[in-house]
Amino acid sequence: MPMASKRKTVSYTWRKWRGALGFGLTGVATLISLGALFSILGYLIHQGIGAINWNFIVREPAAVGEAGGGIAPSLLGTLILVAISMVVGMPLGIGVGIYLSEMAGDTRFANLARVAINTFIGVPSIIMGIFVYFILVKPTNTFSAVAGGLALGIIMIPIIARTTEDVLRLVPKSIREAGLAIGAPKWRVTFDLVLPAARAGVITGGILAVARVAGETAPLILTALGNEYYPTSLFKPIDEITLRILKYARGPYDVWHQQAYGAALILVFGVAIGSLLLRLSTRDRDALSR
Amino acid sequence: MATMVAEAPLTRPREKKARAGRGDRIYHILIKAIVGMVLAIFAGVFTVVVIGAWPAVKRFGLGFLIHTGWDPVHLVFGALPFIVGTILVALGAMILAAGIGLMTAVCITELLPRWLQAPVTYLIELLAFIPSVVYGLFGLLVLAPFLQDTVEVWIMEHLGPHFEVFNGAPYGVGYMSAILILAIMLLPLIVTLSREALVLVPRDVREGGYALGLQKWDVVWGIIVPYARNGILGSLVLALGRALGETIAVAMTIGGGYSLPKTVMDQGYTLASVIANEFNEVSSDMYLSALIYCGLILLVITVVVNILAYFLIRRLSGAHGFKA
């Protein structure tokens, strides 16, 4: 560019070369991006596949540093934590989404709520961990599954609220007017017409949020803590797959490292399936908007 | 609501209207209660973090922000190294990710044939679905040892004697590893959002460039990218928010250290990663409170960045919200 502005005329050859150079650089950048993806995924599969077998999925962890054993408690704990987070996050998130799309319009309060939602999406998840630590872990004097699930649920709320608002807004006004015209009360219009019409999108938002919290580690360090056993109570510390990966990755044993790769592979695979479903259902949503 | 209920008797039989009115009243109360609850939780998060940090705020005041030193035994705490660490790691990762990400987005929209665009975009989006602990795992066990044996040794031997910032010991884990891992994590965010901005550039603008006899590259770099700059800027601000708050991947790769960094290979902490790594080692209430004070600083920084991003993108797009 500086070259171009200094010289009054730019030769055709130079322009052609400059284009080739520029596009070449973008190509290199793309190869770097894809290379990062493939080296991470490739290494994960290469190292992790050897660790995964039936015992790995159904057994408890072996004694420290010994071979064998599995991550069954972590998998179970992950399911429990995600379930608790959905109980917290889904109704609150969808409720806020309904409010923003169906009731609020452009009032000042609605805009305040929107700013709050969008701000909270960006708040680091560890902050939610601090919050739950002080309101639940410290008063009850124990780390617990409930605390972990609550922290994850709070992280879900703004994500679900925003996608719900977005997809409800895509539902044509005529559907609401048709409902109101036959005398249906507003709540029936929302729950029997608008929500079903936007079902695919709302589910997409849910999957997105679950995929996001299933990979969260930081808030769980402050709330669920993790342990070595099957969960026995919702009010005791509980293990989770990312906590297990963290522990094994930091440990000194090669066995642990290999199991960390195995667990990471299972986690990525699970999240990738979620993303695939997401992609399929987004296609539906695009169809809806047209 | 009140007006709806009052108007109803004119148009509908008494009994039916009463039922519909009650349903809607419950519906309104329920939804508003949910909104109130969520806003209360958000307010509660701020309040709790401030209360948790209060003992440290009272004891160290704003000096906490500009002092170095982290001594849990003598209870002397200063967060300057972590603040500096947060900024350095975020900026370093942003510079790498912004350059490569924007170039990748340009390549996808302008260079690749149509049939390749969607698969490549999807592959890069896949990076966004890898949980941060997995990035941390890769950084800690693969990238850091690799850097330690190759790049860092070379830098130490060849650049170290000439530049102070390269004159460090090759630990592997440290600023360099953390910055590289974080940059990879930011890539998908920047690529997908900038790609969307580039795709939205109207055809006329592009054709206007060609009509002037410009080369393709000049149209792309001189017209299309500047035209899409608002969307690209938005993606960068969002990525910055993410970079400042990333916790576990940085905690696993930055090594840990309480002093100001002197070289790119030093070990250190960011505000988020110091909380994650030290939290379970806390030995006193003041220590805990100092960590929460770090969280408070982080919260304020990210909230400011996110509010700026929200208004920036809202103003630029003229629509409600934005997609991340």
Side-chain angles (χ1 to χ4, degrees):
Chain A
M1 278 305 165
M3 284 287 257
S5 53
K6 241 179 254 164
R7 304 187 340 186
K8 275 276 184 299
T9 54
V10 186
S11 85
Y12 178 72
T13 330
W14 164 237
R15 285 195 294 162
K16 244 169 72 169
W17 277 107
R18 192 171 60 189
L21 186 70
F23 279 121
L25 280 177
T26 68
V28 171
T30 308
L31 288 180
I32 292 175
S33 303
L34 291 176
L37 172 74
F38 285 123
S39 57
I40 291 177
L41 285 185
Y43 205 84
L44 212 56
I45 292 169
H46 179 242
Q47 295 285 317
I49 205 91
I52 298 176
N53 52 43
W54 185 244
N55 280 341
F56 188 63
I57 295 170
V58 299
R59 295 276 287 273
E60 288 181 80
V64 170
E66 276 178 28
I71 56 163
S74 322
L75 293 173
L76 196 59
T78 306
L79 291 182
I80 292 172
L81 284 173
V82 167
I84 299 173
S85 72
M86 286 170 78
V87 170
V88 176
M90 288 283 187
L92 294 181
I94 292 178
V96 172
I98 290 175
Y99 172 78
L100 291 177
S101 160
E102 305 300 306
M103 286 166 62
D106 263 333
T107 59
R108 187 175 292 181
F109 183 73
N111 283 324
L112 176 79
R114 268 187 206 105
V115 174
I117 294 286
N118 282 295
T119 306
F120 249 75
I121 286 183
V123 168
S125 56
I126 197 163
I127 301 287
M128 313 303 181
I130 294 177
F131 173 64
V132 174
Y133 175 82
F134 276 106
I135 65 161
L136 210 59
V137 176
K138 223 173 167 200
T140 58
N141 243 327
T142 173
F143 296 94
S144 66
V146 173
L150 180 62
L152 297 184
I154 295 174
I155 296 167
M156 277 173 113
I157 294 172
I159 305 174
I160 294 184
R162 195 164 74 181
T163 44
T164 305
E165 184 195 357
D166 283 351
V167 295
L168 292 188
R169 278 177 183 276
L170 291 179
V171 175
K173 261 214 151 58
S174 55
I175 289 186
R176 296 185 183 86
E177 283 161 359
L180 292 172
I182 59 166
K186 228 172 154 216
W187 65 276
R188 299 274 318 246
V189 170
T190 302
F191 288 104
D192 292 348
L193 296 176
V194 179
L195 272 180
R199 194 184 55 232
V202 175
I203 293 173
T204 302
I207 294 173
L208 186 73
V210 167
R212 163 87 197 273
V213 300
E216 281 292 348
T217 320
L220 297 179
I221 295 174
L222 284 68
T223 52
L225 192 66
N227 61 18
E228 302 290 314
Y229 322 104
Y230 280 108
T232 52
S233 157
L234 293 182
F235 301 99
K236 285 191 181 151
I238 192 169
D239 206 26
E240 198 260 358
I241 189 162
T242 63
L243 291 173
R244 177 99 342 222
I245 296 172
L246 181 65
K247 177 176 178 180
Y248 280 177
R250 284 184 158 159
Y253 312 107
D254 282 344
V255 190
W256 276 15
H257 292 170
Q258 213 198 3
Q259 295 202 336
Y261 285 119
L265 188 58
I266 291 177
L267 178 61
V268 169
F269 191 68
V271 174
I273 288 180
S275 103
L276 200 69
L277 290 175
L278 182 78
R279 198 142 185 100
L280 294 177
S281 55
T282 345
R283 210 164 282 160
D284 291 350
R285 193 177 76 180
D286 289 347
L288 181 75
S289 66
R290 250 171 242 135
Chain B
M1 277 159 283
T3 51
M4 272 176 65
V5 175
E7 278 166 19
L10 300 173
T11 50
R12 288 193 211 146
R14 206 155 201 45
E15 199 195 27
K16 207 174 170 188
K17 148 227 89 186
R19 213 183 305 138
R22 197 182 313 138
D24 269 353
R25 235 180 350 244
I26 295 172
Y27 164 69
H28 272 92
I29 291 171
L30 185 75
I31 296 289
K32 283 195 170 153
I34 287 178
V35 174
M37 200 147 84
V38 168
L39 291 181
I41 291 174
F42 289 177
V45 170
F46 280 93
T47 318
V48 163
V49 172
V50 170
I51 291 174
W54 197 245
V57 173
K58 255 197 335 213
R59 175 146 172 188
F60 305 113
L62 287 176
F64 190 71
L65 306 180
I66 52 166
H67 281 137
T68 306
W70 195 262
D71 184 350
V73 179
H74 299 99
L75 297 181
V76 177
F77 298 107
L80 183 65
F82 311 144
I83 297 174
V84 171
T86 305
I87 294 170
L88 286 181
V89 169
L91 275 188
M94 280 298 294
I95 290 170
L96 289 177
I100 295 175
L102 179 57
M103 289 297 232
T104 303
V106 168
C107 180
I108 290 173
T109 57
E110 309 298 332
L111 188 62
L112 290 183
R114 194 160 285 270
W115 60 271
L116 255 178
Q117 292 182 3
V120 171
T121 310
Y122 178 61
L123 282 175
I124 289 171
E125 276 174 16
L126 260 186
L127 275 173
F129 280 96
I130 299 176
S132 48
V133 73
V134 178
Y135 282 105
L137 173 75
F138 184 80
L140 180 62
L141 295 184
V142 184
L143 184 67
F146 171 78
L147 290 178
Q148 185 172 22
D149 292 341
T150 57
V151 180
E152 293 191 347
V153 174
W154 188 89
I155 288 179
M156 184 186 67
E157 282 172 358
H158 293 87
L159 300 177
H162 310 292
F163 305 97
E164 203 46 44
V165 282
F166 293 118
N167 196 11
Y171 294 114
V173 288
Y175 275 93
M176 193 187 273
S177 302
I179 287 173
L180 284 176
I181 279 295
L182 187 57
I184 299 176
M185 297 177 74
L186 299 178
L187 267 181
L189 200 62
I190 295 176
V191 171
T192 47
L193 292 178
S194 327
R195 191 195 69 92
E196 275 170 26
L198 291 171
V199 167
L200 286 178
V201 175
R203 239 188 123 78
D204 307 3
V205 174
R206 188 180 307 249
E207 283 168 358
Y210 288 128
L212 291 174
L214 293 177
Q215 290 278 308
K216 184 168 182 182
W217 175 254
D218 299 325
V219 173
V220 170
W221 200 244
I223 296 177
I224 294 177
V225 171
Y227 194 95
R229 65 180 178 276
N230 292 343
I232 293 169
L233 195 64
S235 80
L236 295 184
V237 182
L238 276 177
L240 178 63
R242 174 86 196 275
L244 292 168
E246 176 49 43
T247 308
I248 210 72
V250 173
M252 290 169 84
T253 49
I254 201 167
Y258 306 117
S259 44
L260 284 167
K262 291 188 185 65
T263 77
V264 289
M265 290 178 276
D266 277 6
Q267 302 186 314
Y269 268 135
T270 62
L271 288 166
S273 58
V274 72
I275 305 173
N277 274 8
E278 305 278 311
F279 191 82
N280 291 333
E281 323 276 318
V282 160
S283 49
S284 66
D285 286 348
M286 187 51 74
Y287 190 0
L288 177 67
S289 185
L291 283 179
I292 309 298
Y293 196 169
C294 289
L296 179 61
I297 301 168
L298 178 66
L299 181 60
V300 170
I301 295 175
T302 49
V303 162
V304 168
V305 168
N306 278 296
I307 289 182
L308 286 180
Y310 177 77
F311 282 109
L312 182 73
I313 293 171
R314 207 174 121 97
R315 193 168 58 94
L316 300 176
S317 67
H320 296 292
F322 50 86
K323 299 213 189 322

